[in-house]
Amino acid sequence: MANFAPPPGTADIFAAEARRWRNLENTAASVFSRYGYGELRTPIFEYTEVFQRGLGGETEVVQKEMYTFEDRGGRSLTLRPEGTAGVMRALSNTDVMNGVEQRVYYCGPMFRGERPAAGRRRQFHQVGVENVGRVAPLIDAECISMLMEFLAEIGIHDAKLAINTRGVATDRGPAGELLRDYFGRHIDCMCDDCRVRLERNVWRILDCKQEGCRRIIADAPDYVASFSTESCTYFDEVKAALSALGVPFTVDPLLVRGLDYYVHTVFEVSHSGLGAQTAIAGGGRYELFLPGQNRPVPGVGFAAGMERLMMVQDALGMADAPEAGVPVYLIGLGAAARLENLKLADALRRDGLPVGLELEERSFKAQLRGANKSGAAYAVVRGEAELERQVVVIKTMATGEQREVSVAGLASEIMKLVRGNESVTLG
Ligand code: HAM
């Protein structure tokens, strides 16, 4: 067999796996719609400035990971690295600017040029939500609680929720000063990237993954204590609401998230079954500038990585039941029998019965192998002799037992047989 793999960091998803994806998407849709969220499908690519402005020019994603290209008119386009900025671009065309709350969810592929590893892809898939237009600690808590509810419904009950606050924009100056002063004193022992971060955006240092840097980061000053009363009260109310809802969490002062649009609440959900890539979902409250608007629009939301959710399900031993095969397989010898089989398959499928059959000229033995492979409970066999006598042979695959049946009323006879057999699952 030719070995022609898809590009690194991407994957082909075949039927058995695709069914798991559909299940996740359906559960997401069902949970989120209970909370009033409707689906929004935005384009896979956007004008580059939607992400540059939305995510912040200093973020790792914008600086290093975007797939950017020019359209025929020379305008810069980018494959979406995440969902929030495109959703906000789409909502800028609605009445969200007039204070109308919008609750939307989305799912689909996202693209980041990261180094591929287990749980880290260049094309990955997210399910996510955005609650846009309103600001209240209770909305943040409701959103987080919905994420935990979704995880529980897909069988992930033991995920860990970490939360933190990024404060409001005016808190960042004094807190940033505190951090700059501390890291400035230790920068000689830190990585090259952190040196640049110290100059350009000190907050990014907090999510550096280098071992040596992590040790210094662990002793960083408690910058949250310097935040305004407004920010601290907001955060206290989020925590109180989560406790009231019975959602367990820990506060992680090092959690700042990789995108620049966050204010107030940020959160991340991790699971020990994932290995190095522990985040299965992340999100927070944000303020994002919509195209053509000079004041930011507030929202809160999250996205979960579908590949990572499935990795956790695998680690929890939640393999799906194998796909049920077709209940009936039609075997035809000779062109006329094949055509009759095609007509019979058509009638049965219209009645809702999954049917397998061989339409190319193959030997009886090869077709029987096909029937076995398909998992069919029954094979319907006919050749020229049966055609002439207006009959077919129905073979029970498990026992090898055969009986002749007249073609008159054959479709309803097969339906009766299959529906009366409890070992057959119909899709
Ligand atoms: P994010 O933390 O960048 O947030 O991504 C959310 C989730 O997507 C991660 O927790 C992870 O499960 C998954 N993910 C990210 N990158 C990869 C990758 N390369 N391979 C596999 N999975 C990945 C956002 O994207 C924000 N837009 C979330 C949000 C919505 N914030 C507010 N609203």
Side-chain angles (χ1 to χ4, degrees):
M1 208 185 298
N3 181 5
F4 198 14
T10 70
D12 301 309
I13 299 156
F14 288 95
E17 218 191 318
R19 202 157 54 103
R20 297 182 66 186
W21 289 72
R22 211 166 42 241
N23 284 343
L24 279 189
E25 288 166 0
N26 289 345
T27 308
S30 129
V31 174
F32 301 161
S33 62
R34 270 183 255 150
Y35 289 75
Y37 288 78
E39 186 174 7
L40 175 61
R41 299 182 187 217
T42 62
I44 302 280
F45 57 84
E46 298 274 355
Y47 290 124
T48 301
E49 62 261 30
V50 170
F51 302 116
Q52 270 168 344
R53 185 140 194 242
L55 315 192
E58 291 303 321
T59 57
E60 196 101 327
V61 173
V62 169
Q63 294 246 316
K64 300 188 188 156
E65 298 172 355
M66 297 208 302
Y67 286 99
T68 297
F69 55 100
E70 277 187 7
D71 72 4
R72 282 156 200 244
R75 191 129 182 220
S76 182
L77 299 171
T78 294
L79 296 183
R80 60 184 189 191
E82 58 96 63
T84 313
V87 163
M88 295 300 274
R89 198 259 322 128
L91 292 182
S92 69
N93 301 314
T94 69
D95 48 10
V96 75
M97 291 309 292
N98 305 325
V100 176
E101 183 187 22
Q102 293 273 358
R103 294 182 169 220
V104 302
Y105 74 85
Y106 50 89
C107 50
M110 308 289 162
F111 305 85
R112 294 184 192 174
E114 297 190 79
R115 198 158 40 79
R120 192 169 62 214
R121 296 237 181 116
R122 290 181 174 166
Q123 175 175 333
F124 60 100
H125 299 75
Q126 287 185 340
V127 286
V129 309
E130 311 298 344
N131 180 325
V132 186
R134 296 284 166 84
V135 185
L138 295 190
I139 299 181
D140 302 13
E142 183 200 42
C143 183
I144 295 173
S145 164
M146 179 175 77
L147 168 59
M148 301 316 280
E149 167 65 15
F150 164 62
L151 294 176
E153 288 223 5
I154 60 169
I156 302 175
H157 299 274
D158 54 347
K160 303 262 176 302
L161 168 67
I163 64 170
N164 192 24
T165 176
R166 300 242 46 213
V168 290
T170 46
D171 294 334
R172 302 275 170 85
E177 245 351 283
L178 214 64
L179 292 177
R180 245 186 311 278
D181 179 55
Y182 170 75
F183 289 122
R185 280 184 276 121
H186 293 86
I187 202 65
D188 291 345
C189 313
M190 301 186 81
C191 73
D192 289 347
D193 281 346
C194 280
R195 279 163 216 232
V196 178
R197 289 172 186 138
L198 183 64
E199 297 304 315
R200 295 170 72 152
N201 187 345
V202 70
W203 298 95
R204 292 273 75 82
I205 292 182
L206 296 180
D207 49 35
C208 179
K209 302 286 179 285
Q210 301 280 335
E211 190 65 26
C213 298
R214 298 257 20 119
R215 276 196 294 275
I216 294 167
I217 293 164
D219 290 331
D222 178 10
Y223 64 86
V224 175
S226 75
F227 280 1
S228 62
T229 318
E230 177 201 347
S231 301
C232 295
T233 307
Y234 191 102
F235 193 40
D236 286 344
E237 287 180 24
V238 173
K239 288 185 280 188
L242 285 175
S243 299
L245 288 167
V247 177
F249 63 88
T250 54
V251 175
D252 177 1
L254 297 182
L255 179 66
V256 287
R257 309 265 305 129
L259 307 165
D260 273 352
Y261 48 51
Y262 292 110
V263 292
H264 287 306
T265 323
V266 284
F267 53 93
E268 219 155 73
V269 179
S270 59
H271 194 277
S272 54
L274 262 191
Q277 307 297 323
T278 54
I280 49 180
R285 173 156 289 283
Y286 52 84
E287 283 177 344
L288 223 119
F289 281 91
L290 299 177
Q293 305 292 345
N294 49 18
R295 67 186 162 89
V297 176
V300 62
F302 62 78
M306 293 182 65
E307 286 84 357
R308 294 189 191 176
L309 295 177
M310 280 180 267
M311 283 169 75
V312 172
Q313 288 182 321
D314 287 341
L316 293 171
M318 292 168 45
D320 263 18
E323 183 99 56
V326 293
V328 177
Y329 194 93
L330 312 183
I331 294 177
L333 292 161
R338 278 198 300 280
L339 181 60
E340 282 310 308
N341 279 356
L342 179 60
K343 281 161 54 187
L344 176 62
D346 195 49
L348 292 170
R349 287 166 174 163
R350 278 168 202 267
D351 272 351
L353 191 70
V355 175
L357 81 166
E358 177 57 68
L359 292 171
E360 199 186 24
E361 189 176 344
R362 307 294 294 273
S363 71
F364 177 70
K365 229 165 120 186
Q367 294 193 56
L368 203 57
R369 263 202 307 275
N372 271 319
K373 231 170 123 185
S374 76
Y378 302 100
V380 173
V381 187
R382 60 181 146 193
E384 276 167 22
E386 285 78 16
L387 264 189
E388 230 163 73
R389 291 173 39 234
Q390 299 276 301
V391 294
V392 299
V393 174
I394 298 187
K395 181 180 165 89
T396 306
M397 298 297 285
T399 60
E401 176 204 335
Q402 308 200 131
R403 66 189 175 95
E404 234 176 54
V405 174
S406 150
V407 292
L410 180 59
S412 56
E413 173 74 24
I414 292 175
M415 280 310 232
K416 235 183 351 209
L417 196 63
V418 170
R419 299 231 149 104
N421 182 341
E422 280 174 11
S423 69
V424 174
T425 13
L426 294 176

